[in-house]
Amino acid sequence: RFLADDIQNADIAVINQETVLGGTHYPYTGYPCFNSPLEIGDAERKVGFDVILHANNHITDYGIEGLMLTLDYWEQFPEVTVLGIRRTQEEYDDIKVIEKNGIKIAMLNYTYAINGATVHAPNIVNRIDTAKISIDIEKAKSMEPDAIIAFMHWGVEYMSEPDISQKKLADWLFNKGVTHI
């Protein structure tokens, strides 16, 4: 309730949802494997989030089934843009562009890991892979956006500063054409 006005007044409100929306299919759990009630998604929508980031290390905490349940939930709400996870190769290759107030923004989302899950998830979760990211950036540029934002789920737990690999990747992203990270 303390942030609701800020979120609702934002032109585009983005949140990293670092949990599976498995609802009652699994017990509600916290660290190290996260599952949340569907009401979490309801609250995110109600408060006004427009973009949900799902390329993160917890998206496969309940395997592919948990990821697919999360997609099942969001597919009911086409007004919400979900980044970082997909069902099909076609969706995996798709670049999301949001236009607001006459400004076109291409949005990309990638994660460093999926917590060592044994889930084989190529083309389902956007992982930090410079070959894939390079292709996505070129596709984004071809759409002639005003900005390209890369939402990177990266870092070292409990570290408040980027490490050398993050700095190098950030430089690479900017050199390729990303305008914001």
Side-chain angles (χ1 to χ4, degrees):
R1 92 177 193 236
F2 297 108
L3 296 174
D5 288 343
D6 293 334
I7 294 165
Q8 290 167 358
N9 291 327
D11 290 330
I12 300 173
V14 180
I15 188 170
N16 175 46
Q17 183 182 306
E18 201 160 353
T19 183
V20 170
L21 288 180
T24 58
H25 285 85
Y26 309 108
Y28 300 143
T29 53
Y31 185 82
C33 290
F34 298 113
N35 176 52
S36 295
L38 301 180
E39 288 81 4
I40 294 291
D42 294 343
E44 290 168 345
R45 286 183 310 98
K46 181 179 178 186
V47 79
F49 282 105
D50 305 292
V51 179
I52 312 295
L53 306 176
H54 271 297
N56 62 63
N57 56 306
H58 287 286
I59 192 57
T60 59
D61 281 358
Y62 285 87
I64 295 297
E65 182 181 14
L67 184 150
M68 293 302 171
L69 288 168
T70 302
L71 281 171
D72 289 346
Y73 173 82
W74 288 117
E75 286 171 353
Q76 301 172 78
F77 309 102
E79 70 278 9
V80 176
T81 300
V82 174
L83 298 178
I85 58 174
R86 306 282 188 264
R87 287 187 192 277
T88 67
Q89 181 70 44
E90 180 180 86
E91 291 172 350
Y92 183 72
D93 293 337
D94 186 37
I95 303 300
K96 299 290 185 183
V97 175
I98 293 180
E99 191 163 344
K100 184 74 174 197
N101 300 330
I103 299 171
K104 232 166 104 171
I105 303 169
M107 297 184 171
L108 311 171
N109 177 216
Y110 307 94
T111 184
Y112 70 96
I114 53 175
N115 282 351
T118 57
V119 173
H120 184 63
N123 308 343
I124 294 174
V125 178
N126 285 354
R127 302 283 302 274
I128 295 175
D129 170 349
T130 55
K132 162 73 170 142
I133 296 171
S134 185
I135 291 167
D136 289 351
I137 292 169
E138 290 307 312
K139 284 182 188 174
K141 289 191 313 193
S142 75
M143 302 166 99
E144 301 181 0
D146 298 295
I148 300 173
I149 301 175
F151 295 98
M152 307 302 288
H153 191 76
W154 57 6
V156 179
E157 295 264 353
Y158 312 111
M159 297 298 294
S160 59
E161 298 293 324
D163 66 20
I164 192 73
S165 66
Q166 290 167 272
K167 290 177 182 180
K168 285 181 180 179
L169 184 54
D171 288 342
W172 181 86
L173 289 164
F174 288 132
N175 287 331
K176 285 290 191 178
V178 167
T179 58
H180 300 78
I181 298 174

